[in-house]
Amino acid sequence: MTTVFMFPGQGSQSIGMMSDLLAQSELAVKTFTEASEAIGEDLQDIALNGPEDKINQTEITQPIVLTASVAMWRTWIENSDIRPDYVCGHSLGEYTALIASGVLDFEETVKLVNLRGKLMQGAVPLGEGGMVALLGLDDDKAKEACKEAAQGQVVAPANFNSPGQIVISGATDALDRAMAIAKEKGARRTAKLPVSVPCH
């Protein structure tokens, strides 16, 4: 049997994340301490207590998600004999996969994704852009919804995650219009993603 570990990307963060593991694993706490010292932010406190606007700032979200994933990876390695045949990641999760593979150094990668988040955030003023998941809509209808919603602003498909799951990104007002149009076109659900900037 082939075993694959896949690490998550930005958008999987929430206040209180990692609380169980951090209460049980000194290694997880140590991992968060390493990351916090590397970038000068108390990532463990933000992960456990927020506030929401801070945990969703991409320059914080990216190091937190990376650190949480590495903490889980390290804890797994310490407590299990099972090793994956392959590792991979979704978007930001690719960095964790590279750490797990021994290609990248954890501390340097935390600094890198923190800088990456700052640069991404700097490209779009806070509050002026975002991302939305469209569920149950085909690719062509998603494109049509974006085109109709644009009205002089930018909104477009960003990720075709799977058939019937498309993420769009763009200006906040255009995203709101696209959500309404997508529902009219038959989307089962639309959901704003907890990100502070439209990025991938």
Side-chain angles (χ1 to χ4, degrees):
M1 180 172 69
T2 301
T3 304
V4 178
F5 285 8
M6 182 171 181
F7 298 102
Q10 185 170 330
S12 56
Q13 75 280 358
S14 63
I15 295 171
M17 62 188 283
M18 302 299 292
S19 57
D20 290 345
L21 187 63
L22 286 165
Q24 299 170 23
S25 169
E26 289 182 20
L27 185 54
V29 172
K30 182 175 179 282
T31 302
F32 268 86
T33 300
E34 285 177 47
S36 297
E37 290 174 355
I39 65 168
E41 291 278 358
D42 189 343
L43 295 177
Q44 181 172 324
D45 181 60
I46 298 167
L48 294 175
N49 304 307
E52 191 168 340
D53 63 338
K54 182 98 173 182
I55 199 172
N56 290 337
Q57 286 176 15
T58 193
E59 66 194 66
I60 299 298
T61 304
Q62 293 191 32
I64 280 182
V65 171
L66 175 84
T67 302
S69 297
V70 170
M72 294 179 74
W73 166 255
R74 287 177 170 178
T75 302
W76 177 271
I77 294 302
E78 185 179 65
N79 293 287
S80 174
D81 293 330
I82 297 171
R83 298 293 181 266
D85 298 291
Y86 301 97
V87 292
C88 61
H90 181 255
S91 187
L92 174 70
E94 294 172 15
Y95 288 91
T96 312
L98 289 168
I99 291 169
S101 299
V103 175
L104 293 179
D105 173 75
F106 173 56
E107 184 179 333
E108 292 304 311
T109 307
V110 171
K111 293 176 185 176
L112 175 63
V113 299
N114 179 237
L115 175 61
R116 178 181 187 255
K118 287 177 181 177
L119 294 172
M120 287 176 167
Q121 187 63 68
V124 179
L126 196 61
E128 293 188 17
M131 301 182 83
V132 167
L134 305 179
L135 304 177
L137 201 63
D138 68 38
D139 295 357
D140 289 337
K141 287 184 179 176
K143 290 175 188 175
E144 289 171 13
C146 289
K147 188 174 181 181
E148 291 172 29
Q151 299 178 21
Q153 293 182 309
V154 173
V155 60
N159 303 332
F160 295 92
N161 288 335
S162 65
Q165 189 193 80
I166 300 150
V167 175
I168 61 174
S169 65
T172 305
D173 292 342
L175 285 171
D176 289 339
R177 291 190 294 268
M179 289 172 74
I181 293 167
K183 286 180 182 174
E184 290 171 7
K185 291 183 179 292
R188 284 193 324 272
R189 184 171 174 239
T190 63
K192 288 187 178 181
L193 302 183
V195 295
S196 61
V197 63
C199 61
H200 183 58

